[in-house]
Amino acid sequence: MEDIILNEKNKYNKVYTELMFCVDDLRKMLDTEELEKRSFISKVDTLKDYIEFLDNLEKESKKDKKRGK
């Protein structure tokens, strides 16, 4: 299970980082109305939530492992 979580975290952390750089660049060039037209911008929060979910899974997995489950 830990390998799956780690692979997901690595993959999506990279995507999240790249998207955040893109969003920052777009904010410098476009007004709010134009930014809202970019569908991927709204998905950044969803991706962040997923990464937090993976972090929580990883913590729970480590706790379970320490307890011997």
Side-chain angles (χ1 to χ4, degrees):
M1 180 73 162
E2 288 180 32
D3 290 338
I4 294 169
I5 294 170
L6 185 60
N7 287 338
E8 288 285 294
K9 282 179 64 174
N10 288 337
K11 179 169 69 173
Y12 289 109
N13 275 328
K14 181 179 178 182
V15 171
Y16 178 77
T17 301
E18 290 174 5
L19 283 173
M20 286 307 298
F21 280 118
C22 291
V23 169
D24 287 342
D25 289 344
L26 286 172
R27 283 189 178 133
K28 294 173 187 174
M29 296 183 285
L30 303 173
D31 62 19
T32 304
E33 187 177 310
E34 285 297 313
L35 276 173
E36 290 174 359
K37 294 178 183 177
R38 305 302 193 270
S39 63
F40 76 91
I41 291 178
S42 64
K43 305 299 181 202
V44 172
D45 290 334
T46 303
L47 188 55
K48 182 180 177 186
D49 291 342
Y50 182 63
I51 291 168
E52 289 173 0
F53 171 74
L54 291 172
D55 287 338
N56 291 333
L57 275 178
E58 183 178 39
K59 288 175 189 173
E60 286 298 317
S61 177
K62 286 180 181 180
K63 283 182 186 176
D64 289 346
K65 194 172 187 180
K66 286 181 181 179
R67 290 185 213 155
K69 289 184 178 178

